[in-house]
Amino acid sequence: MYRHLERRLAQQIREFLRRTYDCDLARIVIDQPPRVELGEYALPLAFELAKKLRKPPRKIAEEIVAGIGSIEGFEKLELAGAGYINARVKRDYLALALASDEKPKAAIPDGKILVEHSSINPNKAAHIGHLRNAILGDTFVRLLRFAGREVDVQNYIDNTGVQVADVIVGFLRLEKKSRAEIERLTQQPRFDYYCWDLYAQVSQWYEKDKQNRDARHQVLQALEEGGNETAAIADLIAVAVLRRHLETMDRLDIEYDFLPRESEILHLHFWDAAFTKLKDGGVLSFESTGKNKGCWVMRRAGTGKDSTAENAENTEVAEEDQKVIVRSNGTVGYVGKDIAYHLWKFGLLGRDFEYRKFYRYPNEHECWISTTDGEAGHPHFGDVAEIYNVIDARQSEAQSTVVEALRGLGYNQQADHYTHFSYEMVALTPRCAAELGYQLSDEDKARSYIEVSGRKGFGVKADDLIDTLIASAKKEVDSRHPQLSEAERATIATQIAIGALRYFMLKFTKSSVIAFDFKEALSFEGETGPYAQYAVVRAGNIFRKGGLDPDVFSRDLASYVSSDDLAKHLGADEIWELWLAASKTSYIIDQSIATTEPAYLAKHVFQLAQLFNAFYHRHPILNEADEARKKFLLATTAVVRRELTRALAVMGITVPAAM
């Protein structure tokens, strides 16, 4: 409702400006006052209009306040400072809508959204950095679905790339294993851990003699050709590791709809179709001289003239501005395959994958995978209106190159709806690294964070991290709730651990480097998942101590408070601030989507939990003698509990029965 009132206010202001000044602002900026006693909305538009109308901002603000008239849901507009306008809502109006859980209809854009996230190379166990990607992506999917959008979730599998090739080199050249021996190894419970160690060993082998890297190139060529023993071994390894990745992510309640594989992009001739389009559109040029002789190249993003069809005659590009798409040996680089994939995503390629079922989640949701020999009855994937790719900041150039290729082909609308959801890396605090058993030098101990490296074998496997968090939470739950069964305590510990991990990954802005720390993540105090979960548990306990079912009370919430009751009890700014914060869930979710920044929702959850805990300590709810006020305080508790639970669910965090 807070968002709905903001839109209503903007519309009334826009109509007044048209009517009074024959002026139309494309966007009405609405801020929030620094303190709740100043109102609920602040409008600085008089400053923007001053030059256009040739009047002082304060004079314009006075005319708007005097002439706007009544607005449903608002008490009044007030002049502030040198030209600000503060808007005060009718507190009982907003609160009653919140208590009734009203959801005003909002226009939902047409078209399906595709969110691609995780995209872990299927060559070894998932690590802590992959968790940030997956948690950001999954949360963004939840944000979009909360807003009513249809979303497909895809996890791109690079099963023909360098990383997979290196593990194959390890099995065939270092360990000299046969296909049958490798197949037996894939049946081990944590085959991905075996590959983790082998991958690091191969990296060390390459360092001993640069000629050893020739083995990688031979494997890569075999993978691109397909239909050979090396490709079959690669499929065995990649599929086994991929299943482990899905099992790991399922522990965090992260699911996918479709797993497109790079092998099918090659073998179903996606790249051939894209290559023809790119050549015919003048996006690619063939180099016959220089360091890129024999390569097909396109201009690097951001280096001047683009390679659009109308500029096709300007095909000469300086070598330093060239991006190699097809190497001189005929193999296609990562970006080339990515261009083909994104043409398919937007329904522009004229080809489709074959599909088969690959993984069924405990809730019966089916995850499909690309194949060359599919089965019927699959959902329709691709042909979407918008794309969000959750990929770390180091891939910015590659992402920009794909966008430039789309523009070069004339697909400007699609390029405008292609978003690189960029984020920074995850590192470890020295304390965390030491707790995980790594030997640190004095120099390491003095650092603010320590970078991880899969090639060096230094890092935190995702499952190890989850296991450690659950074990730590279990010790605390065991000491606090010995009366509960082992199964109950294990469930609670898991919910706390997963909540701690997800919240920790979401509370930092995407552009921040995260230094992960067990103690900080699991703390019941401060800006953590357990702190927010505890606020919800505390709210539920209030009802149970009063002999009430919190869920039943929440369903009938509007019957416990009237407009008169709310008007009477919401005069105190301290309690009103809590109701106002609780009303902003949808508003914050819209903001998080618009900025692709889930950290806004994490901050909202923390602030709401803080306000509730302050309210809890100030007001002895169950001991309140005035029955009407007691119902109001319980209603306040119920509203906050509902909105906190709802917001946490969007973050993928469940609330345990006890803390």
Side-chain angles (χ1 to χ4, degrees):
M1 179 55 78
Y2 180 87
R3 182 64 154 167
H4 182 68
L5 287 177
E6 181 194 58
R7 289 173 176 154
R8 183 181 293 169
L9 175 61
Q11 183 60 31
Q12 292 289 321
I13 292 289
R14 184 174 286 110
E15 290 175 1
F16 176 83
L17 296 180
R18 290 172 182 159
R19 185 171 66 246
T20 307
Y21 304 117
D22 193 25
C23 172
D24 195 357
L25 290 183
R27 180 170 176 261
I28 305 295
V29 176
I30 301 181
D31 297 325
Q32 298 175 43
R35 300 186 307 279
V36 70
E37 59 264 28
L38 298 176
E40 288 70 41
Y41 306 96
L43 296 93
L45 79 161
F47 298 97
E48 183 181 352
L49 291 169
K51 188 174 182 179
K52 186 178 291 188
L53 300 180
R54 297 182 179 179
K55 291 182 180 182
R58 187 173 176 86
K59 177 64 176 174
I60 297 171
E62 286 175 349
E63 291 174 355
I64 294 174
V65 169
I68 192 74
S70 63
I71 304 174
E72 184 183 0
F74 286 84
E75 182 183 329
K76 59 181 176 179
L77 271 59
E78 297 176 333
L79 183 65
Y84 282 95
I85 298 172
N86 288 339
R88 294 184 181 275
V89 304
K90 293 179 180 177
R91 293 183 174 184
D92 58 318
Y93 180 94
L94 178 55
L96 191 60
L98 179 60
S100 302
D101 200 18
E102 288 185 16
K103 296 181 177 67
K105 287 186 178 180
I108 298 174
D110 293 331
K112 185 165 58 174
I113 296 176
L114 191 158
V115 177
E116 177 195 331
H117 69 80
S118 301
S119 303
I120 309 168
N121 291 313
N123 70 317
K124 65 182 188 311
H127 58 63
I128 190 170
H130 298 135
L131 291 181
R132 186 177 196 188
N133 183 308
I135 290 169
L136 281 170
D138 179 67
T139 301
F140 196 67
V141 169
R142 292 167 185 266
L143 287 163
L144 290 167
R145 287 175 174 164
F146 183 92
R149 299 302 302 269
E150 181 185 1
V151 186
D152 267 359
V153 187
Q154 297 192 8
N155 178 1
Y156 182 80
I157 310 302
D158 182 1
N159 61 337
T160 65
V162 170
Q163 288 78 11
V164 171
D166 286 348
V167 173
I168 295 169
V169 168
F171 278 115
L172 299 183
R173 297 293 294 273
L174 272 66
E175 298 196 334
K176 303 186 185 305
K177 292 192 181 298
S178 67
R179 178 175 173 179
E181 289 173 320
I182 295 170
E183 186 167 9
R184 284 194 293 273
L185 282 172
T186 64
Q187 306 304 314
Q188 291 185 0
R190 287 194 167 178
F191 174 67
D192 52 338
Y193 278 42
Y194 187 101
C195 293
W196 175 287
D197 295 333
L198 184 58
Y199 182 63
Q201 291 168 26
V202 172
S203 298
Q204 294 166 10
W205 185 63
Y206 288 156
E207 292 301 317
K208 290 178 182 177
D209 186 343
K210 299 300 181 185
Q211 289 187 341
N212 289 339
R213 293 178 183 270
D214 292 342
R216 170 196 283 172
H217 299 309
Q218 293 167 11
V219 169
L220 281 172
Q221 284 189 314
L223 295 186
E224 287 212 9
E225 290 170 5
N228 51 60
E229 182 72 2
T230 301
I233 289 171
D235 188 59
L236 266 178
I237 294 167
V239 166
V241 173
L242 174 57
R243 286 192 182 278
R244 283 291 303 118
H245 290 169
L246 297 188
E247 290 165 358
T248 298
M249 295 306 166
D250 194 21
R251 299 180 72 184
L252 301 173
D253 197 22
I254 295 174
E255 298 179 354
Y256 310 95
D257 299 314
F258 177 48
L259 309 171
R261 294 190 295 183
E262 192 167 282
S263 54
E264 275 70 58
I265 286 177
L266 292 170
H267 302 149
L268 294 174
H269 306 293
F270 277 34
W271 166 244
D272 295 342
F275 192 26
T276 299
K277 280 179 174 286
L278 292 166
K279 288 186 293 185
D280 292 348
V283 177
L284 293 183
S285 60
F286 184 77
E287 291 298 297
S288 55
T289 61
K291 70 174 185 179
N292 292 329
K293 180 180 178 180
C295 300
W296 286 91
V297 304
M298 66 176 284
R299 185 184 296 277
R300 288 184 185 276
T303 58
K305 293 179 182 178
D306 58 22
S307 300
T308 56
E310 52 265 36
N311 289 324
E313 67 274 12
N314 300 317
T315 55
E316 290 191 13
V317 182
E319 284 187 354
E320 64 269 19
D321 293 339
Q322 292 175 353
K323 177 69 176 177
V324 174
I325 303 301
V326 182
R327 305 179 190 96
S328 58
N329 64 3
T331 58
V332 188
Y334 165 79
V335 175
K337 288 173 278 193
D338 212 27
I339 292 169
Y341 175 38
H342 283 85
L343 288 170
W344 169 82
K345 284 184 178 181
F346 279 123
L348 302 171
L349 191 63
R351 294 178 183 271
D352 197 4
F353 289 103
E354 293 288 326
Y355 304 87
R356 65 178 171 84
K357 293 173 184 174
F358 182 75
Y359 189 89
R360 176 173 287 186
Y361 292 96
N363 62 4
E364 302 301 315
H365 176 67
E366 291 283 1
C367 178
W368 295 73
I369 195 168
S370 64
T371 182
T372 54
D373 184 19
E375 57 187 272
H378 62 83
H380 178 66
F381 297 110
D383 194 19
V384 299
E386 298 175 56
I387 293 170
Y388 291 89
N389 289 337
V390 185
I391 302 176
D392 76 48
R394 292 169 294 183
Q395 297 298 319
S396 293
E397 183 187 348
Q399 289 289 291
S400 297
T401 301
V402 176
V403 172
E404 288 305 307
L406 289 170
R407 293 197 187 283
L409 291 170
Y411 300 127
N412 290 307
Q413 181 180 352
Q414 287 82 359
D416 289 341
H417 289 92
Y418 180 118
T419 300
H420 175 199
F421 191 116
S422 175
Y423 66 94
E424 277 293 348
M425 69 173 183
V426 182
L428 306 176
T429 63
R431 177 173 63 186
C432 182
E435 288 175 356
L436 288 163
Y438 290 106
Q439 297 299 313
L440 305 179
S441 66
D442 291 338
E443 184 182 352
D444 288 334
K445 293 174 183 176
R447 293 177 180 173
S448 56
Y449 62 82
I450 299 174
E451 293 187 36
V452 298
S453 171
R455 287 199 175 275
K456 296 178 182 177
F458 178 78
V460 184
K461 301 180 188 72
D463 281 306
D464 284 351
L465 175 61
I466 295 169
D467 290 343
T468 302
L469 286 168
I470 292 173
S472 297
K474 182 70 161 43
K475 288 180 182 177
E476 188 69 24
V477 174
D478 286 346
S479 66
R480 293 185 180 211
H481 302 287
Q483 78 284 1
L484 297 178
S485 70
E486 175 66 21
E488 288 172 321
R489 283 182 276 125
T491 297
I492 292 170
T494 300
Q495 290 173 315
I496 292 172
I498 300 306
L501 175 58
R502 291 190 67 121
Y503 192 96
F504 194 92
M505 292 293 185
L506 294 170
K507 74 174 182 177
F508 298 95
T509 56
K510 298 177 301 174
S511 59
S512 303
V513 173
I514 294 179
F516 188 84
D517 186 89
F518 289 114
K519 186 175 180 181
E520 183 183 347
L522 278 171
S523 174
F524 278 49
E525 299 298 329
E527 193 174 354
T528 67
Y531 178 81
Q533 289 171 314
Y534 187 67
V536 181
V537 171
R538 170 176 274 170
N541 287 340
I542 292 171
F543 287 96
R544 280 183 278 274
K545 288 177 182 177
L548 300 168
D549 184 313
D551 295 323
V552 172
F553 188 95
S554 292
R555 282 197 296 270
D556 301 330
L557 184 54
S559 66
Y560 290 99
V561 287
S562 66
S563 182
D564 290 341
D565 291 332
L566 292 168
K568 176 182 177 182
H569 295 295
L570 284 172
D573 288 335
E574 168 245 324
I575 295 183
W576 170 239
E577 186 176 11
L578 181 56
W579 278 78
L580 183 62
S583 75
K584 292 181 180 179
T585 302
S586 294
Y587 170 81
I588 298 296
I589 285 174
D590 285 349
Q591 185 183 38
S592 298
I593 293 171
T595 59
T596 61
E597 187 53 271
Y600 289 129
L601 183 59
K603 182 67 70 176
H604 169 68
V605 163
F606 174 58
Q607 291 174 341
L608 187 54
Q610 271 189 315
L611 288 170
F612 174 73
N613 285 331
F615 162 82
Y616 171 83
H617 288 297
R618 286 194 191 106
H619 302 280
I621 300 169
L622 297 178
N623 292 328
E624 174 60 53
D626 184 328
E627 194 60 31
R629 181 168 176 78
K630 181 177 179 179
K631 285 184 178 180
F632 165 74
L633 295 176
L634 285 169
T636 303
T637 303
V639 162
V640 174
R641 178 179 176 272
R642 183 191 69 206
E643 294 304 313
L644 268 177
T645 302
R646 183 173 286 167
L648 285 169
V650 176
M651 295 173 69
I653 299 172
T654 56
V655 178
M659 292 286 284

